[in-house]
Structures are given as C-alpha cells and as structure tokens.
Amino acid sequence: MPDQSIDVTLFSGAVRNSENKHMAQVLRKKSKILVAYGSCAYMGGSLDWPIFIQRKKILTRVYEESESTLNPGKVRPLTEYEVAEEY
C-alpha cells in the first residue's frame, strides 16, 4: 500500500519487541492519522502496578506464573529472530 493510503488507523497494544515497533512504524507511514488508545498503546500498559516495574518480573508473571499459563519448559518468545531469505 502506498504511504498515506489509510485514512485512520486505531492502534491498541504495547510496543514490546522489534516486530511490534516495526508494525507501528509501518502503520504510521501508511496512515494519515494514527490513533493510539488504551494504556498499552500510549504508556506501555499499566505501569503503576508494582509487578510491572521490572522487565524480569513482567516476563516471569506472563510466561510462568499467570493463572492461565501452562508452560512447564518456561519457554519465552524471542524479541528478534533473523531468517535467511532465499530467492
């Protein structure tokens, strides 16, 4: 899509990794207006919660300790991953 071809984009969610950042930047280029709404989009989430002060605590809570998490291997997503491109 050409730049500025989207009239309005509603952006919700935090920018926590390189893919999130890339998508936010692409949407900004492609949109005439980019609206960030919700605490995640403009502040990175509810940062006033004591558990969200440190990155390690965030990751531990989300990927190991939350009530709905089943992750016995304690696997976490990568923030970046390079793939060799072949043409």
Side-chain angles (χ1 to χ4, degrees), residues 13-16 38-49 52 58:
V15 176
R16 299 244 185 207
S39 63
C40 287
Y42 79 92
M43 285 183 13
S46 298
L47 298 177
D48 55 336
W49 292 7
F52 291 117
I58 294 171

Side-chain angles (χ1 to χ4, degrees), residues 62-76:
V62 171
Y63 295 107
E64 297 174 24
E65 299 174 348
S66 76
E67 292 73 15
S68 62
T69 299
L70 297 174
N71 186 5
K74 298 184 179 183
V75 177
R76 296 185 181 178

Side-chain angles (χ1 to χ4, degrees), residues 7-38:
D7 289 329
V8 177
T9 296
L10 302 176
F11 189 88
S12 177
V15 176
R16 299 244 185 207
N17 60 37
S18 59
E19 181 181 13
N20 300 153
K21 180 180 176 183
H22 173 73
M23 288 305 300
Q25 291 171 333
V26 168
L27 287 169
R28 182 63 204 109
K29 279 180 70 174
K30 302 298 178 186
S31 305
K32 294 175 186 168
I33 299 171
L34 178 67
V35 178
Y37 68 96

